[in-house]
Amino acid sequence: MSKNAHQISLAGIKVSRHGEQPMHQQLYESIRGAILGGRLKAGERMPASRVFCEELGISRNIVLLAFEQLALEGYLVGRTGSGTFVANTLPDALLRIKSRKKEPPIHTELLINTEADINPLPLPPDLLRRNSTKEVIKPFQTATPSFNDFPFAVWAKIAGKVLRYFNLAHLGYDDAAGYLPLRKAIANYLRVHRAVNCTAEQIIIVNGSQQGLNLIGQILLPRGEEFWLEDPGYHGARAALINAGGKCCPVPVSAPEGLDLNYAIKHYPQARMAYLTPSHQYPLGGTMPVCKRLELLDWANKNHMWLIEDDYDSEFRYTGKPLASLQGLDKGGRVIYLGTFSKVLFPALRIAYLVLPTLVLANHFRLHKAMLDRQHPLLEQLILTDFIQEGHFTRHLRRMRLLYKKRQDALLSSLHLYAPNLTYSNMNDSGMQSLVWLPEHLSDKAVSELLRQEEIIAPPLSDYTVTHFKKPGLLLGYSSFTEEQITQGIQKFARLVNGLL
Amino acid sequence: MSKNAHQISLAGIKVSRHGEQPMHQQLYESIRGAILGGRLKAGERMPASRVFCEELGISRNIVLLAFEQLALEGYLVGRTGSGTFVANTLPDALLRIKSRKKEPPIHTELLINTEADINPLPLPPDLLRRNSTKEVIKPFQTATPSFNDFPFAVWAKIAGKVLRYFNLAHLGYDDAAGYLPLRKAIANYLRVHRAVNCTAEQIIIVNGSQQGLNLIGQILLPRGEEFWLEDPGYHGARAALINAGGKCCPVPVSAPEGLDLNYAIKHYPQARMAYLTPSHQYPLGGTMPVCKRLELLDWANKNHMWLIEDDYDSEFRYTGKPLASLQGLDKGGRVIYLGTFSKVLFPALRIAYLVLPTLVLANHFRLHKAMLDRQHPLLEQLILTDFIQEGHFTRHLRRMRLLYKKRQDALLSSLHLYAPNLTYSNMNDSGMQSLVWLPEHLSDKAVSELLRQEEIIAPPLSDYTVTHFKKPGLLLGYSSFTEEQITQGIQKFARLVNGLL
């Protein structure tokens, strides 16, 4: 201890002029030590600040700083007009910052109390749960690109380049609509390859198409109003639009043509929104013909209805040339086009995009996106921009289209060979999965569960059904498995399923 | 042309057995050419498929495939019982995939029609607009870390390492709650440094704290119910909770102690949620003392109220040791703790986290997060995990704490020197900005706008005010500017502001 140390006899409180810490900090710790050591008792009146100044030879500011910190932490309490006291209830056990090195026990006793105060989820939890966990890719997981064939070396090389110029300007907040050069690259791709009528200013980058659906619902669907949903159809869209306060109106799907427009108009003429997969109906696989598209657009225009065109996998069309988008036919500004890179690159990238029909609407979406989560992380956007601009994206698409077609052929020929008594959907001109029908007496959920126990993934069609569609079926994804894996998987699948027929 | 070519005399339609394309594709293109060339007229009946088979020597399947594709694209229409016809309205102009190389004009004539069908934003658009554009960092932009002092070389090196092992498993869907090793690293940091009572299973990674606030509002605030908001307070929280259907109840803030609890209980006893910044009230700067925290927790427990603890910048506390969190005092499972890496690392990272009080609640948030946008992108999560585990995070925090304290000193001493007639908030023991009061007769919005025109950023306090707080003031951020920039900026600031006093 230094020669200059002073001391308050009452409680052994001291500070050193040459200590390592600032004097108010020393004083704070010394008083705290006195309280914890019992030298200053709970409820006891503290000496006036003047006493500390005199006895320790320090300035009043130092004493006040220390007192303030002790009061903030609950060691001291001030009573107006009567001075400062040691608190009756000492907070130290509660406040000890460095004490929680071990994991605490979880509050199990609280469950009942708090559970009553949680809003319900928009869909049954077990349907949502399946899309919330880490996926292990096993045959015949659907909607998964072939990770083994992703040009990862190219991606990592571009990432390395981006990280070298990922400079100061890119660490702060960017445009909520997304990185402008990426939006330009996407607009260019969409105009050339998808006949989507757009500029970069109409595009909003979103965190996966699921966020796009939530944004559309929150911004364009008035609460309590009806929306059309293809039935069977994508449950992620159902969840997002119900969460936005919409009333789900399931509309039957005719297998070759998609949504049954006459049914929808007859039963739900008041609907303000429709969710559609016109290029490749999910999960049945039909394509909406042009004459029906024009009829739908006409209805939407006359009835102030918004149309969501989810173009989730139209890049993988194997016969004929790709069909033009609904958006490209829209003269009334009623279609919001939704595309994603999850299927054509990889899901963990989390980049999808919306194309809004007008700049006013795009700006509204930009503000709402900013309010929801400010913007998408930047690093992935920079890498993807270069990946598209350098031509890797369209090259990868072409390779995957050929590869997936071969895998589809392998799946269908294995099914014909090993499970000849099953029937299959004949709509195989695009996509990443095929549909296998089951005999009417079987529950597709039960068969899917039986297969899952044997390590075969085959989502049941009834998971996508709201009311109308009763035929049992299973979805088999082929895009991420080699022809050998497909043949072996179908042999196992057939052994299990043939016994049930 | 090959010797094997056949020809339909009627319209010059032909296919070649040895062509590069599959025969159905050739036939499709040849028929399409005949229609577009006027050799097959609109409304004309097509020859029966049998005629094509015979004349071209091809199988019926090939003809049907080509017809199907042409019908899908709107060139042919089938009439039941009477054959196939060339469509009356040819779709080609609409469907031409490769025609949109130029940017299209924007639909300006549609604005009025569609604008009526957009839901209103939760806050006035110009307040939201400021947080939706790319930020250019100029003195005295608030809440911005020092990008120049970010250890970017370390970050890029870890990214390079991560990209080498960013293997197949990381390209697919991950846990919606976030990458588990990152959640473990955060839980460990929070237990040791913030006395937050948690395990990795209670943590949900979100896309910035703004998404965290939206999630909390959607899951825990029943629509139409009241929430307490500090006034002045963070407008991002106001927007998110209003967007979730909540009714905003502004509660006055007493500068040294934060939210006025007595006022809140007296005026809004029915409120079901409170948004709080107890460690460092935003933007006034007070700290809620322990006795008030205990009182607040007691009220929340008895009244089934949820408390949001937004601990947005408590890492930067310059005097005394950091205060313990409200969450650490909570025995009833009523506090949702919200932390972010935007202020301590950089905003474009978009990683923030929620700590839920129970596993049931954490699981509910996981499902809801999956429904909103499935999960956060993975690459940033992997880099950040290593950055924390290798000790760079706490090292960077320590460096920034010292640096920002120096910058605060520079700001305050420059203000004293160059603008001696202004008064300042004396709560400078933590944070990234200081508060300067203006004389009552000045409008802080007008002064802020005047400064903005001279390239000085100083957000007005009234931007954060709902009803109660009427004193004009300006916020000056210091964390991202050198002492020289600060001195020069304050000289300019003083020249402009002194003239108004």
Side-chain angles (χ1 to χ4, degrees):
Chain A
M1 219 177 84
S2 133
K3 281 187 286 182
N4 291 17
H6 294 260
Q7 186 157 341
I8 268 191
S9 54
L10 178 64
I13 292 165
K14 51 199 164 190
V15 292
S16 156
R17 235 169 242 294
H18 304 293
E20 282 191 6
Q21 292 182 312
M23 289 177 73
H24 68 86
Q25 185 68 24
Q26 291 182 45
L27 182 61
Y28 155 84
E29 289 190 1
S30 188
I31 296 175
R32 186 169 162 273
I35 295 172
L36 293 176
R39 283 169 282 132
L40 288 171
K41 301 265 181 290
E44 186 173 332
R45 188 190 171 122
M46 288 291 287
S49 55
R50 183 185 40 79
V51 178
F52 284 91
C53 298
E54 288 169 3
E55 296 225 1
L56 300 177
I58 56 181
S59 82
R60 188 143 185 270
N61 266 349
I62 290 174
V63 181
L64 293 182
L65 268 173
F67 272 37
E68 190 187 316
Q69 180 69 16
L70 288 159
L72 269 177
E73 294 180 9
Y75 292 99
L76 298 181
V77 280
R79 293 182 203 147
T80 315
S82 60
T84 303
F85 295 79
V86 179
N88 279 316
T89 316
L90 289 184
D92 201 64
L94 303 172
L95 283 173
R96 204 187 305 269
I97 290 282
K98 305 225 165 173
S99 66
R100 301 191 195 273
K101 300 259 174 181
K102 293 239 168 104
E103 298 209 345
I106 295 289
H107 300 186
T108 45
E109 77 281 12
L110 304 167
L111 305 190
I112 297 151
N113 179 29
T114 55
E115 256 186 296
D117 300 329
I118 306 176
N119 293 337
L121 289 162
L123 291 187
D126 70 299
L127 204 53
L128 295 174
R129 188 167 300 120
R130 246 169 292 157
N131 291 326
S132 74
T133 50
K134 179 167 180 157
E135 269 182 6
V136 181
I137 312 293
K138 293 178 204 161
F140 295 95
Q141 179 89 43
T142 57
T144 316
S146 183
F147 298 144
N148 275 310
D149 294 286
F150 183 75
F152 193 70
V154 172
W155 188 265
K157 197 175 157 196
I158 293 176
K161 192 184 70 183
V162 163
L163 283 160
R164 282 193 294 279
Y165 76 80
F166 190 66
N167 55 19
L168 308 179
H170 289 137
L171 300 177
Y173 288 110
D174 197 56
D175 191 328
Y179 182 56
L180 186 59
L182 176 59
R183 289 186 288 141
K184 283 185 178 158
I186 292 172
N188 193 45
Y189 165 75
L190 290 176
R191 280 198 308 274
V192 173
H193 294 273
R194 299 290 305 125
V196 169
N197 197 9
C198 72
T199 67
E201 288 70 28
Q202 287 167 268
I203 292 182
I204 306 283
I205 303 289
V206 289
N207 193 21
S209 53
Q210 194 59 32
Q211 185 179 52
L213 293 166
N214 277 278
L215 268 170
I216 295 169
Q218 287 193 18
I219 299 173
L220 298 178
L221 185 58
R223 291 193 75 81
E225 296 285 345
E226 298 178 339
F227 66 91
W228 296 346
L229 184 86
E230 297 167 337
D231 182 17
Y234 178 49
H235 50 52
R238 179 154 54 114
L241 300 183
I242 289 176
N243 190 54
K247 212 178 130 199
C248 181
C249 303
V251 176
V253 165
S254 82
E257 301 207 336
L259 185 101
D260 184 338
L261 187 57
N262 293 334
Y263 181 99
I265 291 175
K266 189 176 160 197
H267 289 79
Y268 311 113
Q270 305 296 330
R272 298 294 298 277
M273 185 174 278
Y275 170 80
L276 302 153
T277 49
S279 295
H280 187 218
Q281 203 277 329
Y282 189 83
L284 290 191
T287 302
M288 188 181 276
V290 168
C291 54
K292 253 182 79 178
R293 292 179 188 220
L294 294 171
E295 202 184 325
L296 174 65
L297 287 166
D298 189 49
W299 173 266
N301 257 314
K302 289 182 180 145
N303 294 278
H304 285 243
M305 187 174 181
W306 295 107
L307 305 177
I308 307 174
E309 177 177 26
D310 188 351
D311 205 22
Y312 63 102
D313 75 351
S314 65
E315 292 87 355
F316 300 125
R317 190 163 185 90
Y318 310 121
T319 56
K321 58 179 191 174
L323 286 176
S325 61
L326 188 63
Q327 198 269 4
L329 298 172
D330 175 25
K331 301 281 179 215
R334 283 286 148 192
V335 174
I336 294 97
Y337 179 93
L338 173 57
T340 178
F341 290 98
S342 291
K343 309 265 184 306
V344 291
L345 296 178
F346 57 93
L349 180 60
R350 310 306 305 131
I351 298 186
Y353 49 87
L354 297 174
V355 182
L356 282 310
T358 67
L359 291 187
V360 167
L361 205 51
N363 191 47
H364 200 94
F365 270 71
R366 173 208 304 269
L367 299 183
H368 200 94
K369 162 80 179 166
M371 194 276 301
L372 282 188
D373 65 2
R374 188 54 178 87
Q375 72 180 69
H376 198 277
L378 209 54
L379 182 56
E380 278 92 352
Q381 295 190 71
L382 297 173
I383 301 172
L384 179 55
T385 305
D386 282 10
F387 191 80
I388 297 175
Q389 283 174 348
E390 294 177 9
H392 304 294
F393 177 62
T394 48
R395 199 170 307 136
H396 180 60
L397 272 187
R398 277 197 302 272
R399 279 185 58 224
M400 291 307 103
R401 201 177 291 130
L402 293 171
L403 185 73
Y404 295 173
K405 175 61 182 153
K406 272 191 200 158
R407 291 177 174 187
Q408 188 195 62
D409 290 344
L411 180 84
L412 295 176
S413 59
S414 297
L415 279 170
H416 278 287
L417 189 61
Y418 299 110
N421 295 324
L422 286 174
T423 55
Y424 319 105
S425 163
N426 60 355
M427 282 175 297
N428 294 312
D429 43 5
S430 67
M432 304 166 85
Q433 63 196 30
S434 283
L435 177 56
V436 177
W437 299 113
L438 293 176
E440 308 265 339
H441 69 278
L442 289 178
S443 147
D444 54 15
K445 276 201 173 62
V447 176
S448 176
E449 179 54 30
L450 178 99
L451 289 164
R452 200 189 58 75
Q453 287 169 12
E454 302 290 329
E455 308 277 306
I456 297 273
I457 307 293
L461 197 52
S462 57
D463 266 7
Y464 302 93
T465 300
V466 186
T467 54
H468 294 286
F469 199 82
K470 299 295 177 203
K471 245 178 118 177
L474 297 171
L475 294 169
L476 300 178
Y478 46 77
S479 45
S480 52
F481 312 102
T482 63
E483 292 173 47
E484 197 184 342
Q485 283 174 310
I486 289 171
T487 310
Q488 287 174 356
I490 290 298
Q491 286 176 352
K492 192 167 170 186
F493 169 88
R495 270 201 308 278
L496 295 160
V497 174
N498 287 343
L500 305 169
L501 302 180
Chain B
M1 219 175 85
S2 134
K3 282 186 287 182
N4 290 16
H6 294 258
Q7 186 159 341
I8 267 191
S9 55
L10 178 66
I13 291 164
K14 53 200 162 188
V15 293
S16 157
R17 235 167 244 293
H18 303 294
E20 280 191 7
Q21 294 182 309
M23 289 178 73
H24 66 87
Q25 185 68 23
Q26 292 181 46
L27 183 60
Y28 155 84
E29 289 190 359
S30 188
I31 297 174
R32 186 170 162 273
I35 295 172
L36 293 176
R39 284 167 283 134
L40 287 171
K41 300 265 179 296
E44 187 174 331
R45 187 190 173 124
M46 288 290 287
S49 56
R50 181 184 40 78
V51 177
F52 284 90
C53 300
E54 288 170 3
E55 296 224 3
L56 300 176
I58 55 183
S59 82
R60 188 144 185 270
N61 267 348
I62 290 172
V63 181
L64 292 183
L65 268 174
F67 273 36
E68 189 187 316
Q69 180 69 15
L70 287 159
L72 269 177
E73 294 180 9
Y75 292 98
L76 299 181
V77 281
R79 295 186 199 141
T80 316
S82 60
T84 303
F85 295 79
V86 179
N88 278 315
T89 315
L90 290 184
D92 200 64
L94 303 172
L95 283 172
R96 205 188 306 269
I97 290 283
K98 304 225 165 171
S99 67
R100 301 190 195 272
K101 299 260 174 180
K102 293 241 167 101
E103 297 208 345
I106 296 289
H107 299 186
T108 45
E109 76 283 9
L110 304 167
L111 305 189
I112 296 152
N113 179 30
T114 55
E115 256 186 297
D117 300 329
I118 306 176
N119 292 338
L121 289 161
L123 290 188
D126 70 298
L127 204 54
L128 294 173
R129 187 167 301 121
R130 245 169 292 157
N131 292 326
S132 74
T133 51
K134 179 167 180 156
E135 269 182 7
V136 180
I137 312 293
K138 291 177 205 161
F140 296 93
Q141 179 90 43
T142 57
T144 316
S146 184
F147 298 145
N148 275 310
D149 295 286
F150 183 76
F152 193 71
V154 172
W155 189 265
K157 196 174 158 197
I158 293 176
K161 193 185 71 183
V162 163
L163 282 160
R164 283 194 293 280
Y165 75 81
F166 189 65
N167 55 18
L168 308 178
H170 289 136
L171 300 177
Y173 289 110
D174 197 57
D175 191 329
Y179 183 57
L180 186 58
L182 176 59
R183 290 186 286 142
K184 284 185 179 158
I186 291 172
N188 193 47
Y189 165 75
L190 290 175
R191 280 197 308 273
V192 173
H193 294 273
R194 300 289 305 123
V196 169
N197 196 8
C198 72
T199 67
E201 288 70 27
Q202 287 167 267
I203 291 182
I204 307 283
I205 302 290
V206 288
N207 192 21
S209 53
Q210 194 58 32
Q211 186 179 54
L213 293 167
N214 276 279
L215 268 170
I216 294 169
Q218 288 193 19
I219 299 173
L220 297 179
L221 184 58
R223 289 193 76 81
E225 296 287 344
E226 297 179 338
F227 66 91
W228 296 346
L229 184 85
E230 298 166 337
D231 182 16
Y234 178 49
H235 51 51
R238 180 154 54 113
L241 300 183
I242 290 177
N243 190 54
K247 213 178 129 197
C248 181
C249 302
V251 177
V253 166
S254 82
E257 299 207 337
L259 185 102
D260 183 339
L261 187 57
N262 293 335
Y263 181 100
I265 291 175
K266 189 175 159 200
H267 289 79
Y268 309 114
Q270 305 295 330
R272 298 295 298 277
M273 184 173 282
Y275 170 79
L276 302 153
T277 50
S279 295
H280 187 220
Q281 203 276 328
Y282 189 83
L284 291 191
T287 303
M288 187 181 276
V290 168
C291 54
K292 254 184 76 178
R293 293 179 188 221
L294 294 171
E295 204 184 321
L296 174 65
L297 287 166
D298 189 49
W299 173 266
N301 257 313
K302 288 182 179 144
N303 293 277
H304 285 245
M305 188 174 182
W306 295 107
L307 305 178
I308 308 174
E309 177 177 28
D310 188 350
D311 206 21
Y312 64 102
D313 75 352
S314 66
E315 292 86 354
F316 301 124
R317 191 166 182 90
Y318 309 122
T319 56
K321 59 179 191 175
L323 286 176
S325 62
L326 188 63
Q327 197 269 5
L329 298 171
D330 175 25
K331 302 280 181 218
R334 282 286 149 191
V335 174
I336 293 97
Y337 178 94
L338 174 57
T340 178
F341 290 99
S342 290
K343 310 265 185 304
V344 291
L345 297 177
F346 59 94
L349 179 60
R350 310 306 306 129
I351 298 186
Y353 49 87
L354 297 173
V355 182
L356 283 311
T358 66
L359 291 187
V360 167
L361 205 49
N363 191 47
H364 201 91
F365 269 70
R366 174 207 303 268
L367 299 184
H368 201 94
K369 162 80 178 166
M371 195 275 301
L372 281 189
D373 65 3
R374 189 51 180 86
Q375 71 179 70
H376 198 276
L378 209 54
L379 183 56
E380 278 91 351
Q381 296 190 70
L382 297 173
I383 301 172
L384 178 56
T385 306
D386 282 11
F387 190 79
I388 298 175
Q389 283 174 347
E390 294 177 10
H392 304 294
F393 178 61
T394 48
R395 200 171 305 136
H396 180 59
L397 271 187
R398 276 197 303 272
R399 279 185 59 223
M400 291 307 102
R401 202 178 290 131
L402 293 172
L403 185 71
Y404 295 172
K405 175 61 182 153
K406 273 192 199 157
R407 292 177 173 188
Q408 188 195 61
D409 290 344
L411 181 84
L412 295 176
S413 59
S414 297
L415 279 170
H416 279 287
L417 189 61
Y418 299 108
N421 296 323
L422 286 174
T423 53
Y424 320 106
S425 162
N426 60 353
M427 280 175 298
N428 294 313
D429 44 3
S430 65
M432 305 166 84
Q433 63 196 30
S434 280
L435 177 56
V436 177
W437 299 113
L438 293 176
E440 307 266 340
H441 68 278
L442 290 177
S443 146
D444 55 13
K445 276 201 173 64
V447 177
S448 176
E449 179 53 31
L450 178 99
L451 290 164
R452 200 188 58 75
Q453 286 169 11
E454 302 290 329
E455 309 277 308
I456 296 274
I457 308 292
L461 197 53
S462 56
D463 267 8
Y464 301 95
T465 301
V466 186
T467 54
H468 293 286
F469 199 81
K470 298 296 177 204
K471 242 177 122 179
L474 297 170
L475 294 169
L476 301 178
Y478 46 76
S479 45
S480 51
F481 311 103
T482 63
E483 292 172 47
E484 198 186 340
Q485 284 174 309
I486 288 171
T487 310
Q488 287 174 356
I490 290 298
Q491 285 176 352
K492 192 167 171 186
F493 170 87
R495 269 200 309 279
L496 294 161
V497 173
N498 287 343
L500 304 170
L501 302 180

